[in-house]
Amino acid sequence: MRTLLLGIDSGTQSTKALVVDARDGKVLASAAQEYDLIPDLPPGAKEQHPHTWRDATASTIRRALRQAKAIAAEVKAIGVSGQQHGFVALDKDGEVIRPAKLWCDTSTASECDQIMAKLGGINKTIRALGNAVLPGFTAPKILWLKNHEPQNFARLATVLLPHDYLNFWLTGEKVMEYGDASGTALLDVRKRKWSSAVLAAIDSELAAKLPPLNGSHKPAGQLQPATARTLDLNSGTLVSAGGGDNMMGAIGTGNTSAGVITASFGTSGTIYACSEKPVVDPQGEIAAFCDSTNRWLPLLCTMNVTVATEMVREDFGWSYEKYAAESARVPAGSNGLLLLPYFEGERTPNVPDGTGVWFGVNKKTFEAGHFARAAMEGVTLGMNYGLRRLVDLGVKPTQIRVTGGGAKSKVWRQIMADVFNTEVVTLKVSEGAAYGAALQALWCWRLEQGEKVKISEITDQFVEVNTSEAAQPGRREVEIYRELQALQDEMSRGLRSAFTKHRQFVLR
């Protein structure tokens, strides 16, 4: 009989399930289900119903198990990765009160200001938490509910994050682990404890509505009978702590030691590293998160990556192959066409009112291939803004491991290497978050068996780099992108007040 693991990645656009063999780390089967955001919400509002994730998780697990020809007794552990920061509000009966406000929701900027003002400003906030309170985080979403929907807030009994909600559905237990909890802006990341000052700034009774904190190596619980019947699995199956998608992506890409950097080029963009101690940015631009291995994960997040490239590709009606071919014939730097990619607002740098700006449009550059390449360059430069900040804080990249849709493009991987001025590689298992969830589940299961094993031992054994897709930086291209980086940074700073006026205009 095989020993199998289930790794789930519940994201903004889809849910993926992997069946992984615990003996060799091979992916035996996979399934995915796509879904959308709730349409026609006000500008800045981004929401989904948690039942969407639950139903997609059930469907993908069943399909992946059928594909693997797995029987229930073979599945020993389940791990869940979820999109970070989403606010799942439950009532006293454990029922969802309203749709979840997501990580990409920027409608809570005023609540961020209210919380930080009560704490004495951004500097005192960072001292209290290790992080600033930003619109993407969970804390301002809770205050938003109190300010805008007091009747729903009165029903609030439990605050969960997306992956916590799925763990609750699987086990019946309400818990949070340190990694995902650190993205709420409610946790003092240095001490791994809820910040009483932040809780008091939101509501005097909030502490009672937060679940207990759990170590990342410990189980969230065991599969409860009702959910086990839905999934055709055995009740009592171990469910690991799980974590946020970036924390699970770190495990799934082998980012469990210093020097390795993971860059995820999906709907949003993240770059993060493993650290043995907290890395706190006094300017609040880099998130000082905990990871899901009981260490820390300094991280930058940009909200607009494939958002930009998909907008261009779909407008031109191109296939991915056509997009790559058209962008490849345009030289590095796109002859001066530069994108400031704040289509959905931006988080790093913190520009919640931002919008997209094409700069350098003229007769030569007003052409499809230029827009295609400039979109890839613009979002990569946006991510490099944060990578340079990580370097300033002492993180030293020796290799960047890329995941997400953008990692599939050879042209884009070369742009990444040139912009980052570092070797860029892909992984043989491309679904980093789902694979990381499976590997964390394996770690948890082996610890529960009495083994003394480190998560790095597991990732070193199973995570493989795809050396055939490595990209090295080119000296000339590095210089071109260094100039464009300075231009993009200057544009971003110069347009801040204009962005605010524009947001006021479109909201009228």
Side-chain angles (χ1 to χ4, degrees):
M1 185 180 292
R2 298 172 297 182
T3 299
L4 303 182
L5 313 161
L6 279 170
I8 312 302
D9 177 27
S10 176
T12 316
Q13 295 180 312
S14 66
T15 291
K16 306 175 187 71
L18 302 182
V19 179
V20 176
D21 192 318
R23 293 171 301 179
D24 56 16
K26 299 298 182 186
V27 176
L28 303 181
S30 64
Q33 182 167 317
E34 296 183 350
Y35 38 76
D36 295 316
L37 302 182
I38 295 173
D40 303 322
L41 297 178
K46 305 290 180 183
E47 298 180 4
Q48 281 174 334
H49 201 288
H51 289 179
T52 301
W53 315 325
R54 181 197 65 190
D55 296 344
T57 299
S59 173
T60 54
I61 286 176
R62 289 193 298 264
R63 286 188 283 124
L65 290 172
R66 283 199 300 270
Q67 186 186 129
K69 296 181 171 58
I71 61 174
E74 292 178 311
V75 179
K76 301 301 182 184
I78 304 169
V80 178
S81 165
Q83 53 178 302
Q84 286 189 256
H85 315 318
F87 171 34
V88 180
L90 301 185
D91 66 15
K92 60 181 176 60
D93 298 317
E95 298 297 327
V96 176
I97 294 172
R98 72 175 315 281
K101 294 182 81 64
L102 305 183
W103 61 271
C104 46
D105 189 303
T106 58
S107 65
T108 61
S110 64
E111 281 75 19
C112 293
D113 293 340
Q114 290 175 48
I115 293 170
M116 289 196 287
K118 287 186 178 180
L119 294 172
I122 187 170
N123 292 333
K124 289 185 177 180
T125 301
I126 293 172
R127 284 200 291 273
L129 290 172
N131 292 302
V133 178
L134 303 178
F137 293 160
T138 316
K141 297 174 173 62
I142 301 171
L143 183 56
W144 182 94
L145 187 70
K146 182 178 181 180
N147 289 343
H148 294 268
E149 298 179 1
Q151 290 180 319
N152 281 334
F153 186 80
R155 297 172 57 200
L156 179 65
T158 306
V159 173
L160 293 181
L161 298 166
H163 112 266
D164 301 323
Y165 174 75
L166 291 174
N167 278 351
F168 171 56
W169 168 66
L170 289 168
T171 68
E173 303 291 337
K174 301 170 186 174
V175 295
M176 276 193 195
E177 60 83 45
Y178 298 126
D180 215 3
S182 66
T184 60
L186 299 170
L187 190 79
D188 180 339
V189 299
R190 299 179 184 90
K191 299 178 181 177
R192 300 184 192 269
K193 294 181 179 179
W194 299 122
S195 168
S196 57
V198 176
L199 302 190
I202 297 171
D203 188 79
S204 61
E205 298 180 0
L206 181 56
K209 301 173 183 179
L210 296 173
L213 290 163
N214 197 22
S216 303
H217 63 294
K218 295 181 180 179
Q222 296 181 337
L223 192 59
Q224 62 178 331
T227 309
R229 287 192 295 272
T230 299
L231 301 176
D232 298 323
L233 290 173
N234 290 339
S235 61
T237 302
L238 184 77
V239 178
S240 68
D245 50 5
N246 294 302
M247 291 76 190
M248 294 295 99
I251 297 172
T253 58
N255 187 348
T256 55
S257 58
V260 175
I261 301 287
T262 301
S264 175
F265 281 70
T267 306
S268 64
T270 51
I271 297 182
Y272 43 87
C274 178
S275 177
E276 296 292 337
K277 59 183 181 180
V279 178
V280 175
D281 182 358
Q283 297 179 18
E285 291 190 319
I286 298 301
F289 290 156
C290 304
D291 74 357
S292 290
T293 73
N294 297 321
R295 290 177 289 181
W296 283 268
L297 192 83
L299 175 146
L300 68 98
C301 177
T302 63
M303 292 175 60
N304 305 271
V305 181
T306 58
V307 166
T309 56
E310 285 297 279
M311 188 181 299
V312 173
R313 188 184 68 83
E314 290 174 0
D315 190 58
F316 291 137
W318 287 347
S319 65
Y320 291 104
E321 293 74 16
K322 175 71 170 176
Y323 190 108
E326 290 294 319
S327 57
R329 65 178 180 78
V330 176
S334 301
N335 292 309
L337 183 63
L338 178 61
L339 172 64
L340 190 63
Y342 299 166
F343 292 104
E344 305 291 334
E346 193 49 89
R347 177 165 148 183
T348 309
N350 183 29
V351 191
D353 292 338
T355 187
V357 178
W358 296 95
F359 182 77
V361 179
N362 55 43
K363 189 173 182 179
K364 184 176 184 179
T365 61
F366 193 64
E367 180 270 336
H370 282 76
F371 278 83
R373 185 178 185 99
M376 291 190 290
E377 292 175 336
V379 297
T380 309
L381 290 165
M383 290 180 71
N384 193 45
Y385 172 91
L387 179 60
R388 289 178 301 146
R389 185 75 192 125
L390 270 178
V391 171
D392 290 342
L393 294 169
V395 175
K396 298 178 180 179
T398 58
Q399 183 186 74
I400 295 179
R401 299 181 176 185
V402 294
T403 65
K408 299 175 183 178
S409 167
K410 181 179 180 180
V411 176
W412 204 343
R413 290 196 302 271
Q414 187 59 55
I415 291 171
M416 295 174 201
D418 294 333
V419 170
F420 298 148
N421 194 19
T422 306
E423 180 187 45
V424 167
V425 299
T426 61
L427 286 303
K428 289 191 176 179
V429 177
S430 60
E431 298 296 345
Y435 193 55
L439 294 185
Q440 192 213 44
L442 173 60
W443 182 41
C444 182
W445 180 72
R446 288 175 62 178
L447 290 172
E448 290 292 300
Q449 302 302 303
E451 292 187 52
K452 294 182 179 180
V453 60
K454 296 179 180 179
I455 186 67
S456 57
E457 294 174 39
I458 294 172
T459 58
D460 288 349
Q461 180 183 358
F462 291 150
V463 177
E464 296 182 78
V465 170
N466 206 344
T467 54
S468 64
E469 293 185 348
Q472 305 294 335
R475 183 178 301 177
R476 177 178 172 274
E477 289 76 14
V478 167
E479 290 304 316
I480 288 171
Y481 290 126
R482 187 169 288 145
E483 287 187 56
L484 283 181
Q485 184 77 63
L487 270 174
Q488 191 189 69
D489 292 349
E490 185 175 346
M491 286 169 58
S492 175
R493 291 189 299 268
L495 289 171
R496 301 290 168 86
S497 62
F499 285 141
T500 301
K501 293 174 183 175
H502 182 265
R503 175 62 66 90
Q504 292 169 348
F505 174 79
V506 298
L507 285 175
R508 283 197 311 212

Short mmCIF file of all heavy atoms in Angstrom, two decimals, residues 351-390:
data_model
loop_
_atom_site.label_atom_id
_atom_site.label_comp_id
_atom_site.label_asym_id
_atom_site.label_seq_id
_atom_site.Cartn_x
_atom_site.Cartn_y
_atom_site.Cartn_z
N VAL A 351 0.61 52.22 -2.66
CA VAL A 351 -0.12 53.23 -3.45
C VAL A 351 -1.53 52.67 -3.71
O VAL A 351 -1.84 52.24 -4.82
CB VAL A 351 0.59 53.54 -4.79
CG1 VAL A 351 -0.03 54.76 -5.46
CG2 VAL A 351 2.08 53.75 -4.59
N PRO A 352 -2.40 52.64 -2.69
CA PRO A 352 -3.71 52.00 -2.86
C PRO A 352 -4.60 52.68 -3.90
O PRO A 352 -5.48 52.03 -4.46
CB PRO A 352 -4.33 52.09 -1.45
CG PRO A 352 -3.58 53.17 -0.75
CD PRO A 352 -2.20 53.13 -1.31
N ASP A 353 -4.36 53.96 -4.17
CA ASP A 353 -5.18 54.67 -5.16
C ASP A 353 -4.59 54.59 -6.57
O ASP A 353 -5.13 55.19 -7.50
CB ASP A 353 -5.31 56.15 -4.77
CG ASP A 353 -6.15 56.34 -3.52
OD1 ASP A 353 -6.94 55.43 -3.21
OD2 ASP A 353 -5.99 57.37 -2.85
N GLY A 354 -3.48 53.89 -6.74
CA GLY A 354 -2.77 53.87 -8.02
C GLY A 354 -3.57 53.26 -9.15
O GLY A 354 -4.52 52.49 -8.95
N THR A 355 -3.17 53.59 -10.36
CA THR A 355 -3.75 53.00 -11.56
C THR A 355 -2.62 52.81 -12.57
O THR A 355 -1.48 53.22 -12.34
CB THR A 355 -4.86 53.90 -12.14
OG1 THR A 355 -5.51 53.22 -13.22
CG2 THR A 355 -4.32 55.22 -12.63
N GLY A 356 -2.91 52.15 -13.69
CA GLY A 356 -1.86 51.87 -14.67
C GLY A 356 -1.52 53.09 -15.50
O GLY A 356 -2.39 53.87 -15.87
N VAL A 357 -0.22 53.25 -15.79
CA VAL A 357 0.26 54.37 -16.60
C VAL A 357 1.23 53.84 -17.66
O VAL A 357 2.23 53.19 -17.32
CB VAL A 357 0.98 55.43 -15.74
CG1 VAL A 357 1.51 56.56 -16.61
CG2 VAL A 357 0.07 55.96 -14.66
N TRP A 358 0.95 54.12 -18.94
CA TRP A 358 1.89 53.83 -20.02
C TRP A 358 2.66 55.12 -20.32
O TRP A 358 2.07 56.14 -20.62
CB TRP A 358 1.16 53.35 -21.27
CG TRP A 358 0.45 52.04 -21.09
CD1 TRP A 358 -0.86 51.86 -20.76
CD2 TRP A 358 1.02 50.74 -21.20
NE1 TRP A 358 -1.14 50.52 -20.68
CE2 TRP A 358 -0.01 49.81 -20.95
CE3 TRP A 358 2.30 50.27 -21.52
CZ2 TRP A 358 0.20 48.44 -20.99
CZ3 TRP A 358 2.50 48.90 -21.55
CH2 TRP A 358 1.47 48.00 -21.29
N PHE A 359 3.96 55.05 -20.26
CA PHE A 359 4.83 56.22 -20.40
C PHE A 359 5.77 55.98 -21.59
O PHE A 359 6.34 54.89 -21.73
CB PHE A 359 5.65 56.39 -19.11
CG PHE A 359 6.56 57.58 -19.09
CD1 PHE A 359 6.07 58.86 -18.88
CD2 PHE A 359 7.93 57.42 -19.27
CE1 PHE A 359 6.91 59.95 -18.83
CE2 PHE A 359 8.78 58.50 -19.23
CZ PHE A 359 8.27 59.77 -19.01
N GLY A 360 5.91 56.98 -22.44
CA GLY A 360 6.79 56.84 -23.59
C GLY A 360 6.08 56.40 -24.85
O GLY A 360 6.69 55.81 -25.74
N VAL A 361 4.78 56.68 -24.91
CA VAL A 361 4.01 56.31 -26.10
C VAL A 361 4.30 57.30 -27.22
O VAL A 361 4.16 58.51 -27.06
CB VAL A 361 2.50 56.30 -25.79
CG1 VAL A 361 1.70 55.94 -27.03
CG2 VAL A 361 2.20 55.32 -24.65
N ASN A 362 4.72 56.79 -28.37
CA ASN A 362 4.92 57.59 -29.57
C ASN A 362 4.66 56.72 -30.78
O ASN A 362 4.25 55.56 -30.65
CB ASN A 362 6.34 58.20 -29.59
CG ASN A 362 7.42 57.15 -29.46
OD1 ASN A 362 7.35 56.09 -30.08
ND2 ASN A 362 8.45 57.44 -28.64
N LYS A 363 4.91 57.24 -31.95
CA LYS A 363 4.58 56.50 -33.17
C LYS A 363 5.34 55.18 -33.25
O LYS A 363 4.82 54.18 -33.74
CB LYS A 363 4.90 57.37 -34.40
CG LYS A 363 4.39 56.78 -35.70
CD LYS A 363 4.57 57.76 -36.85
CE LYS A 363 4.01 57.16 -38.13
NZ LYS A 363 4.16 58.10 -39.28
N LYS A 364 6.56 55.18 -32.75
CA LYS A 364 7.39 53.97 -32.82
C LYS A 364 6.94 52.91 -31.83
O LYS A 364 6.95 51.71 -32.13
CB LYS A 364 8.85 54.33 -32.56
CG LYS A 364 9.81 53.15 -32.72
CD LYS A 364 11.25 53.61 -32.54
CE LYS A 364 12.22 52.47 -32.79
NZ LYS A 364 13.64 52.91 -32.64
N THR A 365 6.52 53.35 -30.64
CA THR A 365 6.19 52.38 -29.58
C THR A 365 4.71 52.03 -29.49
O THR A 365 4.34 51.10 -28.79
CB THR A 365 6.64 52.91 -28.20
OG1 THR A 365 5.94 54.15 -27.93
CG2 THR A 365 8.14 53.16 -28.17
N PHE A 366 3.86 52.79 -30.21
CA PHE A 366 2.43 52.52 -30.17
C PHE A 366 2.12 51.34 -31.09
O PHE A 366 1.53 51.48 -32.16
CB PHE A 366 1.63 53.76 -30.57
CG PHE A 366 0.16 53.67 -30.25
CD1 PHE A 366 -0.28 53.56 -28.94
CD2 PHE A 366 -0.79 53.68 -31.27
CE1 PHE A 366 -1.62 53.48 -28.64
CE2 PHE A 366 -2.15 53.60 -30.98
CZ PHE A 366 -2.56 53.49 -29.67
N GLU A 367 2.56 50.17 -30.61
CA GLU A 367 2.52 48.96 -31.43
C GLU A 367 2.45 47.76 -30.49
O GLU A 367 3.00 47.78 -29.39
CB GLU A 367 3.78 48.94 -32.30
CG GLU A 367 3.94 47.77 -33.23
CD GLU A 367 4.69 46.62 -32.58
OE1 GLU A 367 5.46 46.87 -31.64
OE2 GLU A 367 4.45 45.47 -33.00
N ALA A 368 1.75 46.71 -30.92
CA ALA A 368 1.38 45.62 -30.02
C ALA A 368 2.57 44.96 -29.33
O ALA A 368 2.56 44.71 -28.12
CB ALA A 368 0.57 44.58 -30.78
N GLY A 369 3.62 44.65 -30.09
CA GLY A 369 4.77 43.97 -29.51
C GLY A 369 5.43 44.78 -28.41
O GLY A 369 5.89 44.22 -27.39
N HIS A 370 5.47 46.10 -28.59
CA HIS A 370 6.06 46.96 -27.57
C HIS A 370 5.22 46.93 -26.28
O HIS A 370 5.77 46.87 -25.17
CB HIS A 370 6.18 48.40 -28.09
CG HIS A 370 7.35 48.60 -29.00
ND1 HIS A 370 7.36 48.17 -30.30
CD2 HIS A 370 8.56 49.19 -28.78
CE1 HIS A 370 8.51 48.49 -30.86
NE2 HIS A 370 9.27 49.12 -29.96
N PHE A 371 3.91 46.97 -26.43
CA PHE A 371 3.06 46.92 -25.24
C PHE A 371 3.19 45.57 -24.53
O PHE A 371 3.17 45.49 -23.30
CB PHE A 371 1.60 47.20 -25.60
CG PHE A 371 1.29 48.66 -25.74
CD1 PHE A 371 1.56 49.33 -26.92
CD2 PHE A 371 0.77 49.38 -24.68
CE1 PHE A 371 1.30 50.69 -27.05
CE2 PHE A 371 0.49 50.73 -24.80
CZ PHE A 371 0.76 51.39 -25.99
N ALA A 372 3.34 44.50 -25.31
CA ALA A 372 3.49 43.17 -24.73
C ALA A 372 4.77 43.07 -23.90
O ALA A 372 4.76 42.61 -22.75
CB ALA A 372 3.48 42.11 -25.83
N ARG A 373 5.89 43.50 -24.47
CA ARG A 373 7.15 43.40 -23.75
C ARG A 373 7.20 44.39 -22.58
O ARG A 373 7.66 44.05 -21.48
CB ARG A 373 8.33 43.66 -24.68
CG ARG A 373 9.66 43.43 -23.97
CD ARG A 373 10.88 43.63 -24.85
NE ARG A 373 12.06 43.28 -24.09
CZ ARG A 373 12.70 42.12 -24.16
NH1 ARG A 373 12.27 41.18 -24.97
NH2 ARG A 373 13.77 41.89 -23.42
N ALA A 374 6.69 45.61 -22.81
CA ALA A 374 6.71 46.62 -21.75
C ALA A 374 5.88 46.18 -20.55
O ALA A 374 6.19 46.55 -19.41
CB ALA A 374 6.22 47.96 -22.29
N ALA A 375 4.82 45.40 -20.79
CA ALA A 375 4.01 44.90 -19.67
C ALA A 375 4.85 43.96 -18.79
O ALA A 375 4.84 44.07 -17.56
CB ALA A 375 2.77 44.19 -20.18
N MET A 376 5.58 43.04 -19.43
CA MET A 376 6.44 42.13 -18.67
C MET A 376 7.55 42.89 -17.96
O MET A 376 7.86 42.63 -16.79
CB MET A 376 7.03 41.07 -19.59
CG MET A 376 6.02 40.08 -20.11
SD MET A 376 6.74 38.65 -20.95
CE MET A 376 7.37 39.41 -22.44
N GLU A 377 8.15 43.84 -18.65
CA GLU A 377 9.24 44.61 -18.05
C GLU A 377 8.74 45.47 -16.89
O GLU A 377 9.37 45.55 -15.83
CB GLU A 377 9.89 45.49 -19.11
CG GLU A 377 10.66 44.71 -20.17
CD GLU A 377 11.21 45.58 -21.28
OE1 GLU A 377 10.66 46.69 -21.50
OE2 GLU A 377 12.18 45.16 -21.92
N GLY A 378 7.59 46.10 -17.09
CA GLY A 378 7.07 47.02 -16.07
C GLY A 378 6.76 46.33 -14.76
O GLY A 378 7.12 46.82 -13.69
N VAL A 379 6.11 45.14 -14.82
CA VAL A 379 5.78 44.46 -13.57
C VAL A 379 7.03 43.86 -12.92
O VAL A 379 7.13 43.78 -11.69
CB VAL A 379 4.70 43.37 -13.79
CG1 VAL A 379 3.41 44.00 -14.27
CG2 VAL A 379 5.16 42.30 -14.75
N THR A 380 8.01 43.46 -13.73
CA THR A 380 9.26 42.92 -13.17
C THR A 380 10.06 44.02 -12.48
O THR A 380 10.63 43.82 -11.40
CB THR A 380 10.10 42.24 -14.26
OG1 THR A 380 9.28 41.31 -14.98
CG2 THR A 380 11.27 41.50 -13.66
N LEU A 381 10.08 45.21 -13.08
CA LEU A 381 10.73 46.35 -12.42
C LEU A 381 10.00 46.70 -11.13
O LEU A 381 10.63 47.07 -10.13
CB LEU A 381 10.73 47.56 -13.36
CG LEU A 381 11.66 47.47 -14.58
CD1 LEU A 381 11.30 48.54 -15.61
CD2 LEU A 381 13.13 47.59 -14.17
N GLY A 382 8.68 46.57 -11.14
CA GLY A 382 7.91 46.83 -9.93
C GLY A 382 8.29 45.87 -8.81
O GLY A 382 8.41 46.26 -7.64
N MET A 383 8.51 44.60 -9.16
CA MET A 383 8.93 43.63 -8.15
C MET A 383 10.38 43.89 -7.71
O MET A 383 10.72 43.69 -6.54
CB MET A 383 8.78 42.21 -8.69
CG MET A 383 7.33 41.80 -8.84
SD MET A 383 7.13 40.12 -9.48
CE MET A 383 7.67 39.14 -8.08
N ASN A 384 11.20 44.36 -8.63
CA ASN A 384 12.60 44.64 -8.28
C ASN A 384 12.71 45.82 -7.32
O ASN A 384 13.68 45.90 -6.55
CB ASN A 384 13.40 44.94 -9.55
CG ASN A 384 14.90 44.92 -9.29
OD1 ASN A 384 15.41 44.02 -8.64
ND2 ASN A 384 15.60 45.92 -9.80
N TYR A 385 11.73 46.71 -7.32
CA TYR A 385 11.69 47.77 -6.32
C TYR A 385 11.77 47.16 -4.92
O TYR A 385 12.53 47.61 -4.06
CB TYR A 385 10.40 48.58 -6.48
CG TYR A 385 10.15 49.59 -5.37
CD1 TYR A 385 10.60 50.90 -5.50
CD2 TYR A 385 9.47 49.23 -4.21
CE1 TYR A 385 10.38 51.83 -4.49
CE2 TYR A 385 9.24 50.15 -3.20
CZ TYR A 385 9.70 51.45 -3.34
OH TYR A 385 9.49 52.35 -2.33
N GLY A 386 10.98 46.11 -4.71
CA GLY A 386 10.97 45.46 -3.41
C GLY A 386 12.19 44.59 -3.18
O GLY A 386 12.69 44.51 -2.05
N LEU A 387 12.70 43.92 -4.22
CA LEU A 387 13.88 43.09 -4.05
C LEU A 387 15.07 43.93 -3.60
O LEU A 387 15.85 43.52 -2.73
CB LEU A 387 14.22 42.36 -5.36
CG LEU A 387 15.47 41.48 -5.32
CD1 LEU A 387 15.34 40.39 -4.27
CD2 LEU A 387 15.74 40.87 -6.70
N ARG A 388 15.21 45.13 -4.16
CA ARG A 388 16.31 46.01 -3.74
C ARG A 388 16.16 46.39 -2.27
O ARG A 388 17.14 46.55 -1.55
CB ARG A 388 16.34 47.26 -4.62
CG ARG A 388 16.82 46.99 -6.05
CD ARG A 388 16.79 48.24 -6.89
NE ARG A 388 15.45 48.78 -6.94
CZ ARG A 388 15.17 50.08 -7.01
NH1 ARG A 388 16.12 50.98 -7.03
NH2 ARG A 388 13.91 50.48 -7.06
N ARG A 389 14.90 46.53 -1.82
CA ARG A 389 14.68 46.85 -0.41
C ARG A 389 15.09 45.66 0.47
O ARG A 389 15.67 45.84 1.54
CB ARG A 389 13.21 47.20 -0.20
CG ARG A 389 12.89 47.67 1.20
CD ARG A 389 13.36 49.10 1.45
NE ARG A 389 13.30 49.43 2.86
CZ ARG A 389 14.33 49.88 3.57
NH1 ARG A 389 15.51 50.08 3.00
NH2 ARG A 389 14.20 50.17 4.85
N LEU A 390 14.78 44.44 0.04
CA LEU A 390 15.19 43.26 0.77
C LEU A 390 16.71 43.20 0.90
O LEU A 390 17.25 42.88 1.96
CB LEU A 390 14.71 42.00 0.06
CG LEU A 390 13.34 41.43 0.42
CD1 LEU A 390 13.03 40.21 -0.45
CD2 LEU A 390 13.26 41.05 1.88
#
